[in-house]
Amino acid sequence: MTSDFETQLRAVSLRVTRPRLAVLAALRDHPHVDTDTVIALVRADQPTVSHQAVYDVLRALTDAGLVRRIQPAGATARYESRVGDNHHHVVCRSCGAIADVDCAVGHAPCLTASDDHGFEVDEAEVVYWGTCPDCATERTSPLIRQFGRK
Ligand SMILES: [Zn+2]
Ligand SMILES: [Zn+2]
Ligand SMILES: [Zn+2]
C-alpha cells in the first residue's frame, strides 16, 4: 500500500523509514498543511514520533524534491506532495485557505518579465490572492455569521 512512497524515497536515495512514509501519506491526503498539522497527522498514526523528527523529515523530503514548501506572504509555511509541475496557488486573505491552480502554460517561468535585466529567468512565483467561497458567503450574509455556520 505504501509501495509508491517507498519507490519515491528510493528514487532519491533516501532510506525508507516509517516517519517518512507517514509524512508522505499525510501530505497526499491533506495538501497544503502547515508543520503543526503534519505533526498531528503523523502522530495520530505514530504517537512516539517527535516534533524534531517530523521537522527533519519535512526538510529531507523538501531537499530531495519529493515535497514542495510553499509560503504565501504573511502565512506560515505549508507543504504538499504535488511536485514536478508548475502549479500555482490561490490563497484566501481572510482564512488562509489554499487551493491549487494549474499553470496556464504548464512550465516555468509562465510569466515573461517585461525587462529581465539580462538575468536568465527560470521561475515566476505566482500567487493568486482573494476571498474563498466560505468567507465570501460570510461577508455577504451577516445572519449566517451571527448564528454560526453548519
Ligand atoms: Zn476564506
Ligand atoms: Zn499545491
Ligand atoms: Zn504558471
Side-chain angles (χ1 to χ4, degrees):
M1 192 189 137
T2 52
S3 61
D4 277 0
F5 297 142
E6 293 180 15
T7 307
Q8 283 182 31
L9 288 168
R10 294 208 175 93
V12 294
S13 304
L14 284 181
R15 219 155 38 85
V16 175
T17 65
R18 288 191 69 214
R20 284 173 180 167
L21 295 173
V23 167
L24 286 171
L27 293 178
R28 177 197 54 201
D29 297 338
H30 306 270
H32 313 132
V33 287
D34 62 13
T35 307
D36 287 345
T37 306
V38 175
I39 291 170
L41 289 165
V42 170
R43 284 191 156 179
D45 183 44
Q46 300 172 30
T48 56
V49 173
S50 69
H51 285 223
Q52 190 58 49
V54 175
Y55 288 126
D56 291 346
V57 168
L58 282 171
R59 190 177 319 115
L61 295 178
T62 304
D63 288 349
L66 295 183
V67 165
R68 179 175 167 192
R69 183 179 191 271
I70 54 174
Q71 186 149 30
T76 54
R78 315 286 191 95
Y79 296 89
E80 67 181 341
S81 56
R82 179 179 169 183
V83 296
D85 65 1
N86 187 50
H87 79 273
H88 307 291
H89 296 98
V90 57
V91 184
C92 178
R93 284 186 199 285
S94 187
C95 71
I98 298 182
D100 284 339
V101 178
D102 286 346
C103 182
V105 178
H107 58 82
C110 55
L111 285 179
T112 306
S114 56
D115 179 355
D116 63 16
H117 298 276
F119 286 51
E120 279 184 33
V121 175
D122 57 34
E123 183 181 358
E125 202 172 278
V126 181
V127 177
Y128 301 93
W129 291 92
T131 306
C132 77
D134 280 355
C135 291
T137 305
E138 286 190 22
R139 189 173 295 173
T140 53
S141 314
L143 282 178
I144 292 177
R145 182 169 40 208
Q146 192 174 337
F147 296 111
R149 302 171 49 78
K150 287 165 193 152

